[in-house]
Amino acid sequence: MALLEVDKITVRFDGFRALDDLTLSLEAGELRCIVGPNGAGKTTLMDVITGKTRPESGSVRFAGRDITRLPEHAIVGLGIGRKFQRPTVFPNHTVFENLELTAHGSKGVWKALFGGLSSATRQAIEKTLELIGLAAERGRLAGLLSHGQKQWLEIGMLLMQRPQLLLVDEPVAGMTQDEIERTAQILASLAGKHTVVVVEHDMDFVRSIASTVTVLHEGRVLAEGPMREVQSDPRVIEVYLGA
């Protein structure tokens, strides 16, 4: 059974169909890249999955449960995490404290910072610091990190919430080439343990991580499959890659 099933979703804004009878399915542990020209419906799709936008018709099922009408906080609680393009961290707290504040089961800032850490939470933070490559920066204020490091920290903050599904929006925008390569390693390492959806415009980056790519156009799935097949599809070349 698929972990995420988006079935015939339609969303209209002032008569414009942002999503048009869109259907999408993801298996557990999959890393899927979603690409397409501006206005294709990528952000709206993420908004529907996370409960920010209500569809006119259709349904979204996660782990067998219909989540179409659930509020955003309930969807997060079920195990769906979303990272927006612009990183959001606590700039006046250290890297370690940022991960501590977002740890699964945290009951607020005061308890997280002064209530003591369980051994399990400490181990989870240490493991996450290694995964995102910020172990050496654990005591540094998050506001002093580079753009790329803030992106990695936010990925780590999502991981501390133990999501089954991560939605990651344009993670490499504004990064150096070294940072892009490191981001590819981080996201690739998550596949299998988590289901990861990456929305991205950088096609070189997509090629470096994607096994399956979904191309959206005018609110519909234009093409889907292995990267080598999708990038040679004449329809994709015409509406996206050719541009």
Side-chain angles (χ1 to χ4, degrees):
M1 183 176 68
L3 179 68
L4 179 72
E5 298 172 283
V6 177
D7 186 39
K8 298 181 179 179
I9 287 288
T10 294
V11 174
R12 297 180 202 247
F13 297 120
D14 296 326
F16 169 73
R17 289 197 179 209
L19 295 178
D20 185 10
D21 203 35
L22 186 145
T23 294
L24 180 74
S25 177
L26 284 97
E27 300 297 322
E30 183 178 354
L31 194 164
R32 176 76 63 89
C33 286
I34 298 180
V35 303
N38 291 332
K42 304 183 295 298
T43 298
T44 304
L45 173 61
M46 304 266 266
D47 288 346
V48 168
I49 293 170
T50 55
K52 184 178 180 180
T53 295
R54 300 290 184 217
E56 176 182 305
S57 60
S59 65
V60 179
R61 299 186 68 83
F62 177 69
R65 176 174 177 174
D66 190 333
I67 65 170
T68 316
R69 304 295 169 184
L70 290 182
E72 292 180 70
H73 71 271
I75 292 174
V76 170
L78 290 175
I80 296 179
R82 180 177 184 180
K83 185 202 169 307
F84 292 87
Q85 180 179 351
R86 179 176 295 179
T88 303
V89 299
F90 301 108
N92 296 320
H93 290 292
T94 67
V95 168
F96 190 97
E97 289 169 345
N98 269 263
L99 297 178
E100 185 180 354
L101 286 166
T102 52
H104 180 76
S106 174
K107 301 300 181 182
V109 173
W110 180 266
K111 182 173 181 179
L113 293 179
F114 303 107
L117 276 179
S118 69
S119 59
T121 299
R122 186 173 293 278
Q123 288 174 7
I125 292 174
E126 294 294 342
K127 182 177 179 180
T128 301
L129 284 168
E130 291 294 335
L131 189 152
I132 61 177
L134 294 179
E137 308 291 342
R138 69 181 65 229
R140 192 176 187 192
L141 292 179
L144 300 179
L145 298 176
S146 71
H147 172 70
Q149 289 173 324
K150 287 176 182 175
Q151 297 279 32
W152 304 333
L153 176 56
E154 190 175 20
I155 291 172
M157 292 163 69
L158 278 180
L159 293 175
M160 290 302 300
Q161 299 170 32
R162 303 181 189 172
Q164 294 184 65
L165 172 64
L166 281 84
L167 307 175
V168 185
D169 193 5
E170 297 191 35
V172 301
M175 284 190 180
T176 66
Q177 187 58 42
D178 287 345
E179 289 174 335
I180 290 173
E181 292 173 4
R182 176 58 187 154
T183 303
Q185 293 170 2
I186 291 172
L187 293 176
S189 74
L190 299 179
K193 301 173 188 175
H194 306 269
T195 302
V196 184
V197 176
V198 179
V199 170
E200 184 53 67
H201 285 290
D202 186 323
M203 292 307 295
D204 288 334
F205 176 75
V206 170
R207 291 185 189 96
S208 72
I209 65 170
S211 54
T212 303
V213 178
T214 298
V215 183
L216 300 188
H217 178 57
E218 296 182 346
R220 286 177 169 266
V221 174
L222 177 68
E224 187 173 274
M227 183 66 192
R228 63 182 179 277
E229 294 180 8
V230 168
Q231 67 184 359
S232 61
D233 187 314
R235 298 169 302 167
V236 176
I237 294 172
E238 179 182 357
V239 304
Y240 185 51
L241 299 180

